[in-house]
Amino acid sequence: MSLRVLLVVFVAGCAMGTATRDQPVDAPPNTPHDAPRSHDGPRSIDAPPTLDAFVPHDGPPPAVFDRMSPNFECGYSPAEVENARTFIPKIDWAAMMRDTAAAIDAVKGAGPVGIVGYCMGGSVAFLAACDLDGLSCAIGYYGGAIARNADKKPKVATLLHFGDQDHSIPLSDVEIVKEKRPDVEVHVYHAGHGFSCDERGSYNEAAHKEALGRTLAWLTKYVG
């Protein structure tokens, strides 16, 4: 039995999904992956060894926005996006870290734990790497709060992905991260915010595939 654990934080920020890889090495390919109420990361990726090989964990995933609006979900219509943006100033980061810590505690008995986050989830992944215990690695995609927290030092191997056409994260912020965190591997792609989300107009297949390759290599190296 090959035991690895992956916490997946997908956000245009709707929820956090907890996933566990607990299948035999010879398990059938294309095992379904569907993080609950998640809308800002790749929904499906072809065949192991990809994120599809991680299946939803049996424990309850922490739906972090339920603290503000129970059972909250969000898509990409103008009305949904406008409503979702009203949540951003209300984020309780300390509570979000408690939720993430609880997710780690729920699955760490299965094996090494990694966390991957998109958008706000990218910031969650970075902060979790710095402030929480129990992780083997962290990967963050275009997290807008990373630069202002760049004085924090990750406890585990951390990989970050940004786009050079991201209007919400200026390249000056990326340079701050690079300057303050030489211990973090940072990659910049010719793409905009949400380049790995195939439900967004900013989806960039080339950037997505390049970042995904690095993400999978990182997980293979540090989670197994």
Side-chain angles (χ1 to χ4, degrees):
M1 185 73 73
S2 176
L3 297 179
R4 284 70 69 88
V5 178
L6 179 66
L7 303 181
V8 188
V9 191
F10 293 96
V11 183
C14 301
M16 183 184 306
T18 307
T20 306
R21 181 169 184 165
D22 59 358
Q23 55 185 330
V25 175
D26 59 354
N30 295 317
T31 304
H33 172 83
D34 184 17
R37 296 195 297 284
S38 60
H39 297 276
D40 203 34
R43 290 286 187 117
S44 59
I45 307 168
D46 293 337
T50 70
L51 300 185
D52 273 354
F54 293 83
V55 298
H57 181 63
D58 289 338
V64 293
F65 283 93
D66 277 16
R67 292 180 178 276
M68 292 178 275
S69 179
N71 301 313
F72 174 69
E73 297 189 25
C74 178
Y76 287 102
S77 71
E80 287 175 306
V81 171
E82 182 178 356
N83 180 51
R85 284 175 176 162
T86 66
F87 285 76
I88 303 304
K90 305 174 186 176
I91 292 174
D92 184 336
W93 288 98
M96 200 163 286
M97 285 298 99
R98 292 197 297 272
D99 290 338
T100 306
I104 295 169
D105 288 342
V107 297
K108 65 184 180 182
V113 181
I115 185 167
V116 181
Y118 299 81
C119 192
M120 189 202 73
S123 299
V124 172
F126 179 78
L127 290 171
C130 298
D131 296 340
L132 303 182
D133 296 320
L135 291 171
S136 293
C137 72
I139 302 163
Y141 283 70
Y142 30 81
I146 295 175
R148 66 174 178 264
N149 287 285
D151 287 325
K152 291 178 175 284
K153 179 179 176 61
K155 301 177 183 179
V156 297
T158 300
L159 171 67
L160 300 176
H161 304 293
F162 295 98
D164 64 4
Q165 299 176 52
D166 191 329
H167 298 299
S168 62
I169 304 174
L171 284 175
S172 57
D173 277 9
V174 179
E175 291 305 315
I176 288 172
V177 176
K178 288 182 176 180
E179 179 181 347
K180 292 187 174 183
R181 292 270 55 91
D183 50 342
V184 170
E185 186 167 321
V186 178
H187 293 278
V188 180
Y189 306 84
H190 189 54
H193 193 81
F195 66 75
S196 239
C197 177
D198 57 12
E199 295 185 18
R200 300 182 67 152
S202 57
Y203 175 65
N204 184 309
E205 184 175 11
H208 161 66
K209 287 183 175 179
E210 188 175 5
L212 175 62
R214 289 174 171 141
T215 291
L216 295 174
W218 204 259
L219 291 169
T220 299
K221 181 177 181 179
Y222 294 105
V223 178

